[in-house]
Amino acid sequence: MFRVLFLMLALLAGLIAGPYLAGKQGYVLIQTENYNYELSIVTLIIFLIFALAVIYGVEWLVSRFCRLSNNTYGWFSRRKRMKAQKQTLEGLMRMNEGDYSKAEKLIGKNAKHSDEPILNFIKAAEAAQQRGDDFSANKYLIEATELAGSDNLLVELARTRILLQQQKLPAARSSVDSLLILAPKNPEVLRLAVEIYRKSKAYSALDDILQQAEGLYSDTEFTTLQREAEDGLLDEKMNEDGVDGLLEWWDDQSRKRRNDNYVRVGLIRRLIDCNDHEKAYELTLDTLKKVEDEPELNNALLAQITRLQPVDSSKLIKLLEKSALNLPENKQCRIQRALGYLFVRNNDFMHASDAFKKVLAQKDQWQQYDATMAAYVFEQIGDIVTAKEIREEILKNAMATAKKEPARIAAK
């Protein structure tokens, strides 16, 4: 606009000044090697104005063409982005429908034109992995890493999940360890770490992060996780270090864990497995009263007592007899079973027979091996008739079970 105004003003100035310069305008000489050019001042001014107009006109045409080119490029670019967005959404829908091959093509093909190309590459990698193509999944992850860098949390999470799906547990474990350093409080990282540690049976590592992950699970789910970790730790110590290592580990635990009755019962079972019946006996005496208000753990402990073989079980027998006095007869079966086995190991068959009579009276609660032991006890005290009746009952139950087994298999 300024340039047009300038040209108009220059022409106006020429028109006004022209009459005054008429007859006095002189001339301008332009001399070259072969030619001489003579121009009046007015003609020169008009020529210059015309030349400027041409230059400005060419400049305008060039700029107009460039703007047109930019607009054209922008139109094509917008069209590609819109198409990429549409096909990415379609790909995500196909992925939810389970059509992973089509989803991978739609999402991966449009990654470079997408608003979030990193997400496209990640989703394409997940789709490729779902259809079992490890090579393509890794290729998409490499492209995502090139865009985002190696410390991008989103890409590393996707990589770790895919390693887990590929059953590459050592690599997944290494990857999630790095993620815990990068983002130790991230909920998705913690969930993934819990899953990987469980599958790789890395119970020490699982135990270390459980408290941080507590709020991510319901109370029931967290209790299950905690018990799985504790059982895993107990087995790990027992299998690797034996009974001495197991007891050393127990001594190093926090007060909270040492007062956890579930861990106590688990430790008793493993001490019995290691044939350390005396240590198991001491811990049983200390734990029995503590689990009276926890029926599940109380029953689990009584089951372990039937396996216990201490040198002197008199204290435990007194505790069990005292506990039995506080219960009605129909709820004494588990305690009487424990007493019966302790009496047998003490060769006190008379008291054992009394205990097993009470066990067998509750037919819905006793096990077949209890009946076998009861028959043996009655034989030891000379009650052959009762022993014979029990063995006939065992045989009858075994035959009934054998008849049911083919029908059960056929039903499956």
Side-chain angles (χ1 to χ4, degrees), residues 332-365:
Q332 291 185 19
C333 181
R334 295 179 188 276
I335 291 180
Q336 293 298 337
R337 179 190 292 120
L339 282 168
Y341 281 94
L342 288 174
F343 285 132
V344 168
R345 293 192 177 100
N346 287 345
N347 293 319
D348 188 351
F349 293 107
M350 288 303 299
H351 283 100
S353 65
D354 293 337
F356 277 109
K357 284 178 184 177
K358 294 176 182 178
V359 172
L360 296 177
Q362 306 296 324
K363 289 191 176 183
D364 60 329
Q365 297 185 45

Side-chain angles (χ1 to χ4, degrees), residues 24-171:
K24 310 175 187 179
Q25 54 188 317
Y27 70 94
V28 175
L29 175 64
I30 300 174
Q31 188 175 21
T32 65
E33 184 177 355
N34 298 318
Y35 297 97
N36 292 328
Y37 297 96
E38 290 186 8
L39 298 172
S40 66
I41 295 175
V42 174
T43 304
L44 179 62
I45 292 172
I46 293 172
F47 177 78
L48 290 174
I49 292 171
F50 179 76
L52 285 173
V54 171
I55 291 170
Y56 291 157
V58 171
E59 182 186 11
W60 178 81
L61 287 173
V62 171
S63 63
R64 184 66 181 269
F65 177 78
C66 290
R67 279 199 300 271
L68 182 62
S69 298
N70 288 334
N71 289 337
T72 304
Y73 176 78
W75 182 82
F76 280 111
S77 179
R78 284 193 299 274
R79 185 174 178 276
K80 286 181 180 179
R81 284 200 302 271
M82 290 175 66
K83 184 179 178 182
Q85 185 178 10
K86 182 180 177 181
Q87 292 191 342
T88 297
L89 290 173
E90 185 183 349
L92 292 173
M93 290 174 63
R94 291 297 182 94
M95 198 167 177
N96 289 333
E97 293 169 1
D99 188 354
Y100 298 112
S101 179
K102 187 67 174 178
E104 180 194 344
K105 289 179 182 177
L106 288 168
I107 298 172
K109 182 176 69 174
N110 294 285
K112 292 182 179 179
H113 301 295
S114 172
D115 291 336
E116 296 291 344
I118 295 171
L119 290 177
N120 274 58
F121 283 128
I122 289 173
K123 285 298 178 182
E126 291 175 358
Q129 184 57 47
Q130 287 294 335
R131 63 182 184 82
D133 189 348
D134 293 1
F135 177 80
S136 294
N138 292 333
K139 184 190 74 172
Y140 287 124
L141 284 175
I142 290 170
E143 292 185 82
T145 304
E146 288 175 352
L147 285 176
S150 58
D151 291 333
N152 185 276
L153 181 60
L154 195 62
V155 175
E156 293 307 311
L157 270 171
R159 186 194 311 282
T160 307
R161 286 195 192 96
I162 288 174
L163 286 171
L164 180 59
Q165 290 171 359
Q166 293 172 349
Q167 297 299 315
K168 296 177 180 177
L169 289 177

Side-chain angles (χ1 to χ4, degrees), residues 373-388:
M373 179 60 77
Y376 168 75
V377 168
F378 286 113
E379 286 174 348
Q380 296 303 309
I381 63 173
D383 191 346
I384 305 301
V385 175
T386 303
K388 183 178 179 181

Side-chain angles (χ1 to χ4, degrees), residues 237-252:
K237 296 301 176 183
M238 179 183 70
N239 294 330
E240 291 181 2
D241 304 320
V243 68
D244 292 333
L246 185 60
L247 290 172
E248 184 178 347
W249 173 84
W250 176 249
D251 290 338
D252 291 337

Side-chain angles (χ1 to χ4, degrees), residues 177-207:
D177 287 343
S178 299
L179 279 172
L180 284 170
I181 296 172
L182 182 64
K185 295 182 180 180
N186 183 281
E188 289 304 314
V189 172
L190 289 170
R191 284 182 185 276
L192 193 57
V194 167
E195 185 178 359
I196 290 171
Y197 290 154
R198 289 178 72 187
K199 288 192 175 182
S200 59
K201 301 187 184 303
Y203 295 112
S204 294
L206 177 60
D207 188 55

